[in-house]
């Protein structure tokens, strides 16, 4: 894991630690379909950290669950528990990569932090995106992940704190080559 | 039968009496009756007609073409097929409604198979089957498809026991299939490509609803099916259909009136650079669209595509769409003709205010919960209900899930919406009082039964004392269905209801402190009811036995979760009793004890 990454004010290595499951959950009760390849190295870090607070846990730990209450048909209950509780904009976004034939669609809610997201993108497009630094962007790599925010501006992924990124990101684009470097210097 | 009673023949000098005498007056009367009775469609009218005299009974039995069985165990298939010989349409309801909420163990009963066996010889011309909460297997579907060549409509609601294999039988063998609607059914995935089994020729399909089938669909086969089904008006897709595929189908079927949009979301893989289809144009081309549903995995970007059809929408089901107030507003502000709206509480009170501002003709509103957890606060509250009551004065049916509600808001609704026939309020927190006054919700529900003079169905919740039930018994004179959960103080509560509501037909109660005295107080009424359900109440075995003795035409079922546990607790876990012409059913499982 990279240790010299700074995202906003959070130098919280625990927060960027890879694990499966939602922050705050004991078991990975929410079996979400993670729409990218599962990373090979993943530590099941059970309940040791609360994550970056972007999402509250799916439901507060249930007190003695009353059977059949509230009276909602099981078909509807299943349909609703399948879906993660999502914020308004921050769930499915399209991801394109310069030169790749296909767009992908990913669910941002699945990721806890930039590290997760970048690893996922690297896996998805079989590329190396590399290390982010405030000064130099993604130097050392020919790719740079960018995103279009709510205002239509194209920003470099990592510029803003994760929480802010999640709610403002509309789509992602992995840029290639010199274009990428240009953005990094903003 | 020869010899007509034709008086219009002016040319004849004398009526041919010899021919007319061949018919006795009884026979003549029956012919007349049959010709008149075929105009009677309502089963209530027909039931009344059949009671006039034997001749009317016979004539009615011969001419009844639509059969409605409200409780599959109230009468046997044999008795039914012996009396009614010309039936074209059969509707049967099975399990009690609380089975939807996992309160009835599996394999309780309601098997369609026994009905099939009796119907196959007598109802060869059967055209329509409607089943609700019945158990129907793949074999049953195959049998149905194979033995009833005239079958046109199959509608299954909340049924289970079958899978995609059964659907394949229906697709391939029901040559005249016009309606195949599966609503909230539990359909197992047998990996059968059932859509491909429809015959290659043009079909007479008018309605195809499979949004509850949770398995992938062969899209190419579906598209071809839609192309060769020129009469298709209703199409409800499942969540495996992407918005891109939806587009292709809509382009093929612009004549649709009802559309279930499937996932309403793009697939993961989209060819880069490919132009995204003009979804709005596809909607605009469907000029007859009046009913929309689906939106199972909605991506809100695409909501704008709905704009061209909003102004004509009569029914909108957003109850699987996790959209917020703003997103709802963008759609609902155009839906001026809307009569029925189903939504998720993710739209919040603000969303409901938007509904109230636009949908002046709204007749039905259902607000479903996103989260089952017991929270102090929730996204919709008394604020939303109040706004709705002020804006939608014509409301007839309300289902509202919330975490908090005040008596003031409920009372306001009772006054603002006098046409209410169905009022179902579910305050998710158990025994929750009015958060503003700290009082029970008695006054609010009291106002509903008092002011809504057309009320026939009521579901209560929140903190309720016996007073609420006193009001219900006092004012609920037209009440037919009552659902009670976690409410009341004592036997008095239930007694008020049983004494005061003469029209009560269906009473379902759970987790309430009603016991033997209350149960006993309804003896005069149980034969008039379809059923009584009481689970986790305070009724003893002895009281149930007494009821069974005093009312021999009542089937009294005591249902436990396990077979063994039965006699240990003081109270009956679940009491389910219903009137029946047949006595105890033969197919009861081990955990059901019938007295």
């Amino acid at each position: 894991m990279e240790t010299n990454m700074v995202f906003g004010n959070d130098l919280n290595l625990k927060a960027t630690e890879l694990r499966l499951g939602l922050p705050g959950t004991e078991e990975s009760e929410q079996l979400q379909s993670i729409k990218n390849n599962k990373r090979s190295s993943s530590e099941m870090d059970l309940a040791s950290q609360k994550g970056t607070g972007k999402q509250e846990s799916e439901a507060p730990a249930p007190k003695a669950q009353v059977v059949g209450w509230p009276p909602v048909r099981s078909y509807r209950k299943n349909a609703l528990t399948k879906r993660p509780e999502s914020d308004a904009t921050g769930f499915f976004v399209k991801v394109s990569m310069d030169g790749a034939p296909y767009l992908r669609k990913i669910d941002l809610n699945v990721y806890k932090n930039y590290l997760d997201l970048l690893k996922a993108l690297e896996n998805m497009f079989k590329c190396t995106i590399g290390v982010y630094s405030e000064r130099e962007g993604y130097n050392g790599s020919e790719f740079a992940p960018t995103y279009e925010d709510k205002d239509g501006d194209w920003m470099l992924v990592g510029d803003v704190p994760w929480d802010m990124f999640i709610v403002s990101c509309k789509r992602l684009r992995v840029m290639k080559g010199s274009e990428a470097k240009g953005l990094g210097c903003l | 039968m020869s010899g007509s009673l034709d008086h219009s023949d002016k040319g004849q000098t004398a009526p041919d009496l010899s021919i007319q005498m061949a018919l006795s007056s009884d026979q003549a009367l029956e012919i007349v009756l049959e010709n008149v009775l075929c105009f009677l469609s309502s089963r209530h009218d027909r039931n009344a007609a059949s009671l006039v005299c034997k001749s009317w009974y016979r004539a009615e039995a011969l001419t009844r073409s639509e059969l409605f069985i409200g409780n599959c165990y109230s009468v046997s298939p044999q008795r039914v097929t012996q009396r009614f010989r010309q039936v074209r349409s059969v509707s049967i309801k099975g399990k009690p409604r609380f089975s939807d909420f996992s309160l009835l163990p599996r394999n309780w009963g309601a098997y369609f198979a026994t009905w099939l066996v009796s119907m196959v010889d007598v109802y060869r011309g059967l055209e329509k089957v409607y089943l609700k909460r019945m158990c129907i297997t793949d074999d049953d579907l195959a049998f149905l498809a194979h033995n009833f060549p005239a079958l046109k409509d199959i509608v299954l609601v909340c049924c289970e026991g079958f899978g995609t294999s059964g659907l394949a039988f229906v697709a391939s063998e029901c040559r005249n299939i016009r309606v195949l609607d599966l609503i909230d059914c539990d359909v197992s995935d047998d990996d059968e490509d059932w859509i491909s089994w429809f015959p290659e020729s043009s079909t007479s399909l008018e309605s195809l609803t499979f949004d509850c089938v949770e398995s992938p669909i062969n899209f190419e086969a579906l598209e071809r099916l839609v192309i060769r089904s020129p009469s298709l008006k209703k199409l409800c897709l499942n969540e495996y259909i992407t918005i891109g595929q939806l587009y292709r189908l809509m382009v093929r079927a612009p004549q649709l009136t009802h559309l279930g949009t499937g996932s309403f979301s793009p697939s993961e893989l989209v060819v880069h650079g490919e132009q995204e289809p003009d979804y709005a144009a596809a909607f605009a081309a469907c000029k007859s669209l009046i009913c929309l549903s689906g939106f199972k995995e909605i991506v809100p970007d695409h909501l704008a595509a709905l704009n061209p059809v909003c102004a004509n929408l009569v029914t909108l089901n957003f109850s699987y769409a996790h959209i917020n107030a703003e997103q709802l507003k963008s759609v609902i502000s155009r839906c001026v003709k809307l009569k029925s709206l189903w939504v998720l509480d993710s739209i919040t009170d603000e969303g409901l205010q938007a509904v109230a501002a636009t949908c002046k003709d709204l007749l039905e509103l259902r607000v479903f919960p996103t989260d089952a957890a017991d929270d102090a606060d929730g996204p919709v509250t008394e604020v939303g209900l109040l706004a709705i009551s002020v804006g939608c004065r014509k409301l007839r049916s309300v289902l509202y899930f919330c975490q908090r509600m005040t008596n003031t808001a409920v009372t306001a609704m009772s006054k603002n919406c006098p046409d209410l026939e169905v009022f179902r309020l579910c305050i998710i927190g158990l025994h929750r009082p009015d958060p503003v006054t700290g009082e029970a919700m008695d006054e609010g529900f009291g106002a509903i039964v008092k002011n809504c003079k057309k009320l026939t169905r009521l579901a209560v919740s929140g903190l309720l004392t016996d007073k609420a039930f006193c009001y219900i018994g006092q004012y609920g004179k037209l009440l037919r269905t009552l659902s009670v959960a976690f409410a009341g103080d004592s036997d008095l509560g239930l007694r008020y209801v049983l004494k005061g509501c003469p029209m009560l037909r269906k009473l379902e109660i759970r987790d309430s402190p009603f016991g033997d005295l209350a149960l006993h107080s309804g003896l005069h009424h149980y034969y008039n009811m379809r059923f009584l359900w009481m689970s986790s109440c305070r009724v003893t075995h002895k009281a149930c036995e007494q009821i069974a003795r005093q009312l021999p035409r009542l089937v009294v079922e005591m249902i436990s979760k396990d077979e063994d546990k039965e006699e240990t607790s003081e109270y009956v876990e679940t009491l389910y009793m219903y009137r029946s012409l047949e006595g105890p059913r033969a197919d009861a499982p081990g955990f059901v004890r019938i007295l």
Side-chain angles (χ1 to χ4, degrees):
Chain A
M1 302 297 113
E2 311 294 346
T3 52
N4 59 345
M5 283 207 272
V6 177
F7 292 108
N9 297 321
D10 301 325
L11 182 51
N12 182 354
L13 297 179
K14 266 295 185 182
T16 58
E17 195 169 348
L18 274 184
R19 69 181 198 100
L20 290 177
L22 294 170
T25 53
E26 299 288 326
E27 313 89 40
S28 26
E29 208 186 296
Q30 287 298 112
L31 298 171
Q32 302 181 38
S33 58
I34 302 196
K35 295 199 193 272
N36 57 321
N37 301 324
K38 284 219 161 80
R39 294 165 279 283
S40 46
S41 65
S42 56
E43 286 126 69
M44 295 287 284
D45 182 7
L46 301 174
S48 68
Q49 50 106 327
K50 285 291 175 188
T52 51
K54 158 192 60 70
Q55 43 181 351
E56 310 94 60
S57 47
E58 291 306 310
K63 332 180 225 177
Q65 277 285 37
V66 180
V67 174
W69 190 262
V72 168
R73 281 184 189 161
S74 30
Y75 173 68
R76 180 173 291 280
K77 258 204 174 121
N78 292 341
L80 291 178
T81 50
K82 259 195 288 197
R83 306 287 308 121
E85 229 176 76
S86 352
D87 298 311
T89 27
F91 37 100
F92 290 100
V93 293
K94 292 184 192 164
V95 187
S96 63
M97 164 134 125
D98 293 357
Y102 294 104
L103 289 185
R104 303 299 292 267
K105 193 180 62 147
I106 61 171
D107 179 0
L108 285 182
N109 277 342
V110 163
Y111 308 105
K112 326 296 161 264
N113 50 53
Y114 284 118
L115 180 57
D116 277 1
L117 176 62
L118 293 175
K119 281 288 174 209
L121 292 177
E122 287 182 338
N123 270 332
M124 199 181 285
F125 294 109
K126 307 283 180 275
C127 63
T128 314
I129 295 176
V131 177
Y132 172 87
S133 84
E134 252 185 70
R135 263 186 308 112
E136 294 182 347
Y138 288 90
N139 257 348
S141 157
E142 55 174 321
F143 295 102
T146 63
Y147 72 99
E148 185 183 7
D149 73 3
K150 269 202 261 206
D151 302 324
D153 299 324
W154 283 91
M155 317 265 285
L156 199 62
V157 167
D159 273 353
V160 303
W162 177 256
D163 293 352
M164 204 184 294
F165 168 72
I166 281 290
V167 295
S168 59
C169 172
K170 275 178 60 181
R171 55 191 304 165
L172 283 161
R173 176 179 160 203
V174 181
M175 284 188 188
K176 198 171 169 176
S178 52
E179 240 192 298
K181 296 208 187 327
L183 255 185
C185 294
L186 280 172
Chain B
M1 292 226 193
S2 62
S4 69
L5 301 170
D6 184 5
H7 298 289
S8 66
D9 217 337
K10 294 182 178 97
Q12 275 192 326
T13 43
D16 195 345
L17 286 168
S18 58
I19 295 174
Q20 286 182 16
M21 290 299 272
L23 276 175
S24 71
S25 56
D26 278 344
Q27 287 169 318
L29 178 60
E30 283 208 16
I31 297 172
V32 170
L33 256 183
E34 283 169 31
N35 280 302
V36 167
L37 284 178
C38 52
F39 291 105
L40 268 186
S41 47
S42 145
R43 67 179 191 267
H44 302 293
D45 292 341
R46 283 189 156 271
N47 290 344
S50 70
L51 293 173
V52 170
C53 65
K54 279 213 176 102
S55 155
W56 281 56
Y57 178 92
R58 269 196 306 272
E60 194 284 311
L62 279 173
T63 56
R64 188 181 296 220
S65 66
E66 288 172 17
L67 204 60
F68 174 82
I69 312 282
N71 174 1
C72 65
Y73 288 120
S74 61
V75 65
S76 74
Q78 294 85 352
R79 192 187 292 263
V80 165
T81 52
Q82 265 158 31
R83 176 175 169 185
F84 301 107
R85 313 291 291 179
Q86 302 284 350
V87 167
R88 295 211 181 286
S89 158
V90 163
S91 303
I92 309 177
K93 296 188 179 181
K95 298 180 215 173
R97 196 179 75 98
F98 274 6
S99 67
D100 288 354
F101 317 128
S102 313
L103 291 179
L104 192 69
R106 289 191 75 84
N107 307 319
W108 172 83
Y111 304 108
F112 185 49
T114 48
W115 289 87
L116 278 172
V117 165
S118 293
M119 292 193 311
V120 71
D121 293 322
V122 187
Y123 299 156
R124 302 295 306 185
L126 191 66
E127 292 177 6
K128 178 173 176 181
V129 170
Y130 170 98
L131 302 180
K132 188 168 187 181
R133 296 195 189 98
M134 294 285 291
C135 185
I136 174 166
T137 64
D138 291 328
D139 287 339
D140 294 337
L141 283 171
F143 189 89
L144 190 64
H146 193 67
N147 291 293
F148 296 90
L151 202 54
K152 292 197 182 111
D153 298 2
I154 299 178
V155 180
L156 305 178
V157 181
C158 297
C159 293
E160 40 98 12
F162 65 101
T164 46
S165 321
L167 296 180
F169 282 120
V170 170
S172 69
E173 298 213 42
C174 294
R175 295 277 143 169
N176 295 312
I177 195 82
R178 186 174 59 182
V179 172
L180 178 57
D181 286 348
L182 308 166
I183 298 161
D184 286 359
C185 292
D186 185 0
V187 184
S188 67
D189 183 1
D190 309 326
D191 229 357
E192 186 62 64
D193 179 7
W194 59 282
I195 289 279
S196 298
W197 283 92
F198 282 96
E200 285 302 319
S201 56
S202 184
T203 78
S204 35
L205 268 177
E206 291 177 21
S207 174
L208 180 63
T209 301
F210 60 91
D211 59 320
C212 62
V213 178
E214 288 177 341
S215 43
I217 289 282
N218 178 341
F219 177 72
E220 277 67 35
L222 176 63
E223 192 177 21
R224 284 196 301 274
L225 178 65
V226 169
I227 292 170
R228 64 182 192 279
S229 303
S231 306
L232 197 65
K233 292 277 189 298
K234 302 188 191 184
L235 179 63
C236 292
L237 308 164
N238 71 7
E239 64 208 331
Y240 285 86
I241 303 293
T242 66
I243 194 171
Q245 291 171 330
L246 171 68
Y247 174 84
R248 282 166 63 175
L249 294 174
M250 289 176 73
V251 160
R252 300 293 190 179
Q255 77 280 8
L256 287 175
T257 57
H258 293 60
L259 178 63
T261 59
S263 68
F264 211 66
S265 167
S267 62
E268 264 188 43
L269 295 170
V270 174
V271 175
H272 197 24
E274 195 178 80
Q275 194 79 324
E276 208 163 27
D278 189 350
Y279 300 122
F283 276 96
C286 292
K287 306 220 179 289
S288 312
L289 214 49
I290 53 169
C291 181
L292 277 181
S293 61
F295 309 108
K296 298 279 176 94
E297 289 172 24
I298 190 172
V299 172
D301 311 357
H302 293 122
L303 275 174
L306 302 178
N307 290 348
V309 295
C310 290
N312 288 326
L313 279 185
V314 172
T315 303
L316 178 57
N317 182 350
F318 263 157
S319 65
Y320 292 99
H322 288 257
I323 52 175
N324 60 26
E326 281 310 312
Q327 289 155 352
L328 178 74
K329 276 188 207 177
S330 68
V331 174
I332 212 79
S333 54
R334 301 157 200 267
C335 297
V336 287
K337 284 195 195 158
L338 208 61
K339 293 218 164 78
S340 170
L341 176 65
W342 292 20
V343 282
L344 269 185
D345 63 5
S346 59
I347 61 165
T348 74
D349 286 330
E350 199 189 324
L352 290 171
Q353 284 162 338
V355 172
T358 311
C359 306
K360 298 302 177 190
D361 287 340
L362 203 65
L363 298 178
E364 182 192 32
L365 174 69
R366 294 197 190 188
V367 181
F368 291 96
T370 321
D371 186 354
D374 187 342
D375 267 324
D377 285 318
V380 298
T381 67
E382 66 272 13
V383 171
L385 190 73
L386 184 61
I388 289 287
S389 77
V390 169
C392 307
R393 296 297 175 100
K394 301 183 187 174
L395 270 177
R396 293 199 197 148
S397 174
V398 169
L399 171 62
Y400 198 91
F401 284 85
C402 58
Q403 294 286 359
R404 52 176 279 156
M405 185 52 60
T406 61
N407 282 308
T408 311
V410 178
T411 304
M413 175 153 265
S414 77
K415 293 186 179 153
N416 291 333
C417 304
D419 292 338
L420 273 178
E421 293 166 16
V422 173
F423 185 73
R424 299 156 71 191
L425 177 63
C426 182
I427 303 169
I428 298 177
L430 302 182
H431 311 293
R432 193 153 284 163
D434 180 327
V436 170
T437 63
E439 287 170 0
M441 296 301 298
D442 299 339
E443 296 307 312
F445 284 106
I448 289 282
V449 283
K450 186 169 171 201
N451 299 327
C452 301
K453 312 238 190 290
K454 303 180 189 174
L455 199 75
T456 53
R457 182 172 180 182
L458 179 66
V460 299
S461 59
L463 180 65
L464 291 169
T465 70
D466 287 340
K467 192 129 201 275
F469 298 97
C470 178
Y471 286 137
I472 294 173
Q474 196 179 351
Y475 296 109
K477 295 308 173 189
L478 293 183
L479 209 59
R480 298 173 65 88
T481 305
L482 178 62
S483 308
V484 179
F486 304 97
D489 298 323
S490 73
D491 282 335
L492 263 182
L494 183 52
R495 282 179 68 172
Y496 285 132
V497 169
L498 289 170
K499 293 285 185 194
C501 301
M503 297 295 286
L504 201 60
R505 296 284 172 268
K506 304 187 235 180
L507 181 53
E508 43 189 32
I509 306 173
R510 64 168 293 185
D511 295 275
S512 301
F514 305 135
D516 299 345
L517 262 139
L519 188 66
H520 203 79
S521 69
L523 273 175
H524 66 288
H525 192 61
Y526 294 137
Y527 277 161
N528 295 331
M529 291 176 64
R530 186 176 296 169
F531 71 82
L532 167 65
W533 167 292
M534 290 180 72
S535 58
S536 305
C537 296
R538 305 221 181 122
V539 173
T540 64
H541 293 84
K542 205 143 183 241
C544 294
E545 284 162 20
Q546 245 176 351
I547 300 277
R549 258 197 306 270
Q550 289 179 271
L551 298 176
R553 293 291 204 186
L554 215 59
V555 172
V556 180
E557 294 196 10
M558 303 198 318
I559 306 168
S560 6
K561 293 272 152 53
D562 319 296
E563 279 186 43
D564 316 310
K565 213 169 149 261
E566 216 207 278
E567 296 293 340
T568 52
S569 107
E570 187 188 348
Y571 299 128
V572 174
E573 218 171 307
T574 299
L575 165 67
Y576 178 55
M577 54 192 225
Y578 50 90
R579 63 186 175 185
S580 172
L581 292 172
E582 312 303 343
R585 55 191 175 105
D587 60 5
F591 54 82
V592 171
R593 184 172 148 220
I594 302 184
L595 299 171

